Amino acid sequence: MSNPRMGYRSVISESVAPWSDIARLLRGGDAGTLIPVIIPRHRRRVWWMLPLWLGLLAVLTGVMFSVRDSDGALGAAATAMAALSYTFGGFLLLIGALWWWRSSIVEIEQGTHGVLTRYGAVTRTLDPGRHYLWHPWSRVAFVVDVATEIPYSAPVMACPTRENVPLRSIEFFLKLRITDAVLFVRTIGAGNFDLVLSSAVQDAIRQRARRVQTERAYDLRGSDVADMQELLNRQLSRYGVRITGCNIPDVQLPAQYQQHLATRERVAKEHAAYEQEWGLTRKRRIDSLQMDIERAKKVRDARFVEVKAALNQAREQVAQLLEQQETNAQRVRFEIETRGRSGLIAAENEARAQRHLAQAYRDNRAVLQYELALRRLDVGAALAEKAPQPVVVRTDSGSGDTSALSTLLAAQLLPQLPAGTTGTTGAQQ
């Protein structure tokens, strides 16, 4: 069969052809038409009966001449005529028999079945190979290709989607094979089957398109169409046909919507590229942050080690300081205790000496009182000697001596007087 072209609808038909063209038409079709059924143009006629009947007539004529020759009425001429009739009749019978034998031979192509009819009624099918049809009215009415998978392309135009947007076209490709030749030719035939198949395919595709959103129409390309294949098999099984495979190779959207999808696809690609770039940038940043975190962890661990070492060293120093302070405190305590004991002993000795001295003072009280009295006298004498002498300067206004000369003399004499006397004089003024 010829390969289907995109956008071209396949046509299944039957053709009347001589036996010599059956193989060519079944394998290649005719003018773009798929031909799975051939009606042979038979060469077989009943003309082969004419030499048989003529030969039988000649033989009967020879028999008649032989009967008359036995009566002796005709003589040698009858004998010659009888021999000639037998010879001619036998020759005609031989020609008729050969003609009958040759016209009864039927050769069925490999991969096809021949539908044998007798008086117009289908009797059986003939397998590939040579067959002999001895019955005069038996003939091969149809040669059906039952081995080849027939490719069939059925584009559906203006197919609406769920949003009622008509798609420009949906290409649907399937492969079918005739499984029952007698059922196929007796029930529907190739020409009618093309109409039924086209209608079933369009109905299945339209049902599928109605369930698809317009923006996801391209998802129909290469999608799983097992449900459509099962539906078509259920519909076509009554005709002896089985769908062996099908798919949707192409979907064409309206031009305006296609531009819209192209824009969305470009935006989606740019978004995907941006997401990919951002993913790489984020990954680099995450890797950089992880490296920084690892370095920070290493620095932290190193500082933890340093802090632990410093802490241990501080603990050692504190322990040493505590030990040293404890030693100093113990030494100071010993010194304080020693000084306290020595002070206590000195105080006890001094107290003991004071008690002795007090005892001696009590014993010498009279002597002390006498000495104290002498000292008092000495002190009084010394104080008497140093006592100030008063100078009286009369400046009373009642005496009448208020001259400037007396005042000037007094002012010159006063600084020369001792301090105690001056003080007393000032007091008397």
Side-chain angles (χ1 to χ4, degrees):
M1 297 293 178
S2 61
N3 295 328
R5 298 188 299 271
M6 300 301 295
Y8 172 77
R9 178 183 175 277
S10 301
V11 179
I12 298 177
S13 180
E14 59 188 14
S15 177
V16 179
W19 285 93
S20 59
D21 293 338
I22 289 178
R24 179 181 62 82
L25 293 175
L26 289 177
R27 298 297 181 267
D30 186 16
T33 303
L34 305 175
I35 302 178
V37 178
I38 301 294
I39 301 176
R41 184 180 294 118
H42 289 277
R43 299 185 307 270
R44 189 177 188 189
R45 298 290 186 268
V46 293
W47 297 110
W48 55 269
M49 298 183 67
L50 179 61
L52 289 178
W53 285 110
L54 291 176
L56 182 60
L57 180 60
V59 171
L60 291 176
T61 302
V63 171
M64 292 177 64
F65 279 116
S66 298
V67 171
R68 289 184 180 183
D69 187 27
S70 61
D71 294 339
L74 297 178
T79 303
M81 290 296 294
L84 182 60
S85 298
Y86 282 131
T87 303
F88 186 67
F91 178 73
L92 290 178
L93 289 175
L94 180 60
I95 291 176
L98 290 175
W99 195 351
W100 183 19
W101 170 78
R102 184 66 186 87
S103 62
S104 65
I105 297 175
V106 175
E107 294 180 354
I108 306 299
E109 291 288 335
Q110 182 67 34
T112 63
H113 282 173
V115 179
L116 183 65
T117 61
R118 182 177 296 176
Y119 301 110
V122 177
T123 57
R124 62 189 178 90
T125 59
L126 300 179
D127 294 331
R130 173 173 288 188
H131 300 272
Y132 294 93
L133 307 180
W134 300 110
H135 195 280
W137 283 271
S138 294
R139 63 180 59 193
V140 178
F142 304 96
V143 177
V144 184
D145 190 352
V146 296
T148 305
E149 291 184 345
I150 303 172
Y152 186 83
S153 178
V156 181
M157 304 298 179
C159 184
T161 60
R162 181 184 296 180
E163 294 85 0
N164 205 25
V165 177
L167 302 178
R168 190 161 60 181
S169 68
I170 297 179
E171 297 286 343
F172 188 75
F173 176 76
L174 58 86
K175 295 183 293 183
L176 57 93
R177 187 166 63 86
I178 300 173
T179 57
D180 192 334
V182 175
L183 185 62
F184 181 78
V185 299
R186 187 172 58 186
T187 305
I188 189 169
N192 296 330
F193 177 75
D194 180 71
L195 298 177
V196 172
L197 179 60
S198 177
S199 176
V201 167
Q202 290 201 15
D203 183 63
I205 293 178
R206 291 181 187 278
Q207 289 181 9
R208 170 59 67 86
R210 275 293 186 183
R211 300 196 299 265
V212 177
Q213 296 180 354
T214 307
E215 62 182 9
R216 302 183 64 86
Y218 280 133
D219 293 343
L220 291 174
R221 294 183 295 187
S223 61
D224 185 12
V225 291
D227 55 341
M228 298 176 62
Q229 180 177 348
E230 184 179 357
L231 175 63
L232 292 175
N233 278 325
R234 286 198 304 268
Q235 294 178 355
L236 302 178
S237 60
R238 69 185 70 177
Y239 306 124
V241 177
R242 184 170 65 87
I243 305 297
T244 59
C246 56
N247 65 344
I248 300 176
D250 188 25
V251 176
Q252 295 183 5
L253 297 175
Q256 184 177 1
Y257 200 86
Q258 193 170 2
Q259 292 178 359
H260 174 66
L261 285 184
T263 304
R264 292 187 60 182
E265 186 177 0
R266 186 179 68 254
V267 172
K269 288 182 179 178
E270 292 177 358
H271 180 70
Y274 176 76
E275 288 291 338
Q276 186 176 5
E277 183 179 0
W278 168 245
L280 294 175
T281 304
R282 182 176 60 183
K283 185 178 179 181
R284 287 196 297 267
R285 290 183 179 178
I286 290 174
D287 294 339
S288 178
L289 289 176
Q290 288 181 350
M291 293 177 64
D292 294 340
I293 291 172
E294 292 297 329
R295 286 195 296 268
K297 286 182 178 179
K298 292 181 179 179
V299 173
R300 182 194 63 185
D301 294 339
R303 290 186 177 179
F304 279 166
V305 173
E306 293 178 358
V307 169
K308 288 181 179 179
L311 183 60
N312 294 330
Q313 185 177 1
R315 286 176 179 174
E316 292 179 358
Q317 292 178 357
V318 168
Q320 293 177 359
L321 289 175
L322 290 176
E323 185 177 358
Q324 185 178 0
Q325 292 295 330
E326 186 177 359
T327 304
N328 293 333
Q330 189 175 3
R331 181 173 54 79
V332 169
R333 186 174 64 249
F334 290 159
E335 291 178 355
I336 292 173
E337 290 179 354
T338 303
R339 286 197 300 269
R341 289 191 187 95
S342 60
L344 180 60
I345 294 171
E348 290 177 352
N349 294 330
E350 186 177 357
R352 194 176 295 112
Q354 291 294 333
R355 281 195 301 271
H356 292 298
L357 182 60
Q359 185 67 32
Y361 281 165
R362 281 193 301 271
D363 295 340
N364 298 322
R365 185 173 182 179
V367 178
L368 291 175
Q369 289 178 354
Y370 176 75
E371 291 179 357
L372 180 58
L374 289 178
R375 288 183 180 182
R376 286 177 180 176
L377 292 175
D378 294 335
V379 169
L383 289 175
E385 291 178 358
K386 295 180 179 181
Q389 294 178 3
V391 176
V392 179
V393 179
R394 294 201 178 263
T395 58
D396 296 336
S397 60
S399 60
D401 190 6
T402 57
S403 61
L405 180 61
S406 60
T407 303
L408 180 61
L409 291 174
Q412 291 179 355
L413 291 175
L414 284 175
Q416 297 177 2
L417 294 178
T421 304
T422 304
T424 306
T425 303
Q428 290 179 357
Q429 288 177 355

